């Protein structure tokens, strides 16, 4: 790590976003609703704001370390990719076993539609589905045919979750990975055709997704958040501001039953303001551009590019950054996107 050739984190948006989040946490140190803190130490140290801020800063530092040290070489990236693919096999087998009632660790006693759901230890069928769908593109970067069998096994477990939006996430990941991998092998007219096809597919998925969320709990949360930002009646008014209301404030402002927005960008808009949202969008766009360049020249990187795009797709319908296994895999994918600067 001490060599002069050590890689450098080059995403210029990251430092500005980190500084902005620190500034927002300082500015919103004393939120009015935190006066209800159950004891004096929690009020003084304001753990709601600072724990979240420190978590984000640590995640950014971990991403930098992964990109510049641990995942810097192609050999290390190849090995980690294999490990991730192998780790999904017992998860998929556990999930499939749950379909037949073979569950050593957890038996649901709740009488509902969720009582027969496949969790595989994730506590929520949706979390498991996002995790499997997001990582599926990695199986197609290896030449041995057994990886196709592994992918089929993971696909079967994904089907067992009965989570419809996960198929859209999987489609985004596979399409992004495949397109990047074969891009330089396509003639120019085929590149144009592939781009048009991807755009049409994205439009169709957006249309289907728009219809889907209207029948889902997400629509109620989104409309409630937007209504409060538009309202001028206290105490409903939370205002759309440049600074936002501080990290982890979404649940306090809209009620604990709506602690997560199921849309990472809407939650970021409320908590970090429109300036924080623009900084995050710039950081993500820079990473997509850098990752695309890398993915078109490296097969393994193309798989992780698919993971990254699938993770971003998941942020539109969920909060994957709050699910530890999903968040860590997303962080690894983001680190890979920034390896080449």
């Amino acid at each position: 790590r001490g060599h002069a050739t050590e890689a450098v984190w080059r995403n210029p948006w990251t430092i500005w976003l980190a500084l902005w989040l620190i500034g927002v946490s300082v500015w919103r140190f004393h939120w009015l609703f935190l006066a209800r803190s159950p004891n004096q130490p929690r009020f003084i140290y304001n753990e709601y704001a600072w724990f979240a801020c420190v978590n984000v800063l640590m995640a950014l530092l971990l991403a930098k370390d992964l990109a510049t040290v641990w995942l810097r070489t192609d050999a290390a990236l190849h090995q980690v990719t294999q490990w991730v693919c192998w780790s999904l096999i017992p998860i998929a087998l556990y999930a499939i076993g749950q379909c037949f009632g073979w569950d050593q660790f957890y038996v649901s006693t709740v009488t509902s539609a969720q009582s027969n759901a496949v969790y595989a230890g994730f506590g929520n069928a949706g979390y498991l589905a996002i995790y499997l769908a997001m990582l599926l593109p990695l199986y197609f970067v290896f030449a041995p045919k057994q990886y196709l069998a592994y992918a089929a096994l993971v696909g079967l477990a994904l089907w067992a979750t009965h989570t419809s939006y996960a198929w859209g996430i999987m489609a985004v990941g596979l399409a992004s990975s495949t397109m990047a991998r074969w891009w330089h092998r396509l003639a120019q007219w085929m590149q144009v055709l592939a781009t048009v096809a991807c755009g049409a597919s994205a439009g169709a998925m957006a249309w289907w997704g728009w219809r889907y969320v209207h029948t889902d709990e997400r629509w109620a949360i989104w409309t409630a958040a937007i209504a409060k930002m538009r309202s001028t009646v206290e105490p409903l008014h939370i205002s759309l501001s440049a600074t936002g209301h501080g990290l982890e404030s979404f649940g306090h402002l809209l009620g604990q039953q709506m602690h997560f927005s199921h849309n990472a960008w809407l939650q970021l808009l409320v908590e970090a303001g429109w300036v924080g949202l623009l900084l995050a969008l710039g950081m993500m766009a820079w990473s997509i551009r850098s990752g695309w360049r890398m993915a078109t020249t490296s097969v393994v990187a193309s798989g992780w590019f698919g993971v990254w795009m699938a993770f971003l797709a998941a942020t539109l319908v969920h909060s994957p950054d709050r699910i530890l296994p999903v968040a860590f895999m997303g962080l690894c994918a983001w680190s890979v996107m920034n390896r080449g600067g």
Side-chain angles (χ1 to χ4, degrees):
R1 296 179 59 174
H3 290 92
T5 58
E6 181 180 351
V8 178
W9 181 273
R10 296 185 177 88
N11 191 325
W13 295 85
T14 309
I15 183 63
W16 292 109
L17 179 62
L19 292 175
W20 179 258
L21 293 179
I22 294 174
V24 168
S25 297
V26 172
W27 179 253
R28 296 291 182 178
F29 187 81
H30 289 293
W31 301 327
L32 177 62
F33 52 80
L34 286 184
R36 307 193 204 101
S37 297
N39 55 59
Q40 191 67 11
R42 296 183 72 180
F43 177 76
I44 294 174
Y45 297 109
N46 198 359
E47 66 182 47
Y48 300 93
W50 287 109
F51 281 1
C53 183
V54 170
N55 286 341
V56 172
L57 296 179
M58 292 301 295
L60 295 178
L61 290 174
L62 176 58
K64 175 183 179 296
D65 213 30
L66 288 171
T68 59
V69 182
W70 302 109
L71 299 178
R72 178 188 172 191
T73 66
D74 293 337
L77 182 61
H78 186 276
Q79 184 64 74
V80 169
T81 305
Q82 281 188 319
W83 289 342
V84 172
C85 290
W86 294 341
S87 71
L88 289 182
I89 298 174
I91 295 174
L93 290 174
Y94 183 13
I96 295 171
Q98 283 183 314
C99 293
F100 299 96
W102 303 336
D103 197 336
Q104 180 181 359
F105 305 106
Y106 173 78
V107 177
S108 177
T109 58
V110 179
T111 304
S112 67
Q114 288 293 320
S115 61
N116 296 321
V118 173
Y119 299 103
F122 280 68
N124 185 302
Y127 299 166
L128 170 64
I130 293 175
Y131 190 76
L132 296 178
M134 186 176 73
L135 296 175
L136 197 59
L138 296 180
Y139 284 102
F140 298 93
V141 305
F142 296 105
K145 296 297 187 293
Q146 64 261 31
Y147 282 93
L148 295 179
Y150 301 155
L153 183 68
V154 172
L156 181 60
L158 179 60
W159 171 82
T161 64
H162 300 291
T163 306
S164 54
Y165 61 79
W167 294 104
I169 295 172
M170 181 197 70
V172 170
L174 289 176
S176 301
S177 176
T178 303
M179 191 171 178
R181 181 174 180 177
W182 294 94
W183 185 254
H184 287 317
R185 303 183 189 183
L186 300 177
Q188 186 174 7
W189 69 270
M190 293 186 68
Q191 291 179 347
V192 174
L193 183 61
T195 302
V196 172
C198 286
S201 299
M205 289 177 59
W207 175 80
W208 175 86
W210 182 255
R211 296 186 61 187
Y212 172 80
V213 298
H214 277 75
T215 61
D216 189 74
E217 64 177 355
R218 292 165 178 78
W219 185 251
I221 298 175
W222 297 349
T223 53
I226 294 173
K228 284 200 172 187
M229 283 189 285
R230 290 178 174 177
S231 173
T232 57
V233 181
E234 297 292 349
L236 294 178
H237 184 47
I238 62 177
S239 75
L240 175 60
S241 65
T243 60
H245 296 269
L247 299 181
E248 290 296 305
S249 63
F250 189 91
H252 293 280
L253 294 169
L254 274 81
Q256 290 301 320
Q257 70 276 13
M258 297 181 179
H259 191 63
F260 302 135
S261 66
H262 291 278
N263 184 304
W265 304 103
L266 176 61
Q267 187 146 348
L268 185 64
L269 176 62
V270 172
E271 295 182 353
W274 58 262
V275 173
L277 178 64
L278 291 177
L279 290 174
L281 288 173
M283 187 175 68
M284 297 302 106
W286 196 98
S287 298
I288 293 174
R289 176 174 171 269
S290 174
W292 171 262
R293 290 180 174 179
M294 191 184 313
T296 56
T297 59
S298 169
V299 175
V300 178
S302 69
W304 283 102
F305 181 72
V307 174
W308 175 236
M309 296 303 295
F311 180 83
L312 291 181
T315 62
L316 299 176
V317 295
H318 222 294
S319 299
D321 55 306
R322 297 174 180 275
I323 310 166
L324 186 57
V326 180
F328 181 70
M329 287 295 103
L331 198 67
C332 289
W334 184 48
S335 302
V336 175
M337 298 305 97
N338 291 278
R339 286 173 73 227

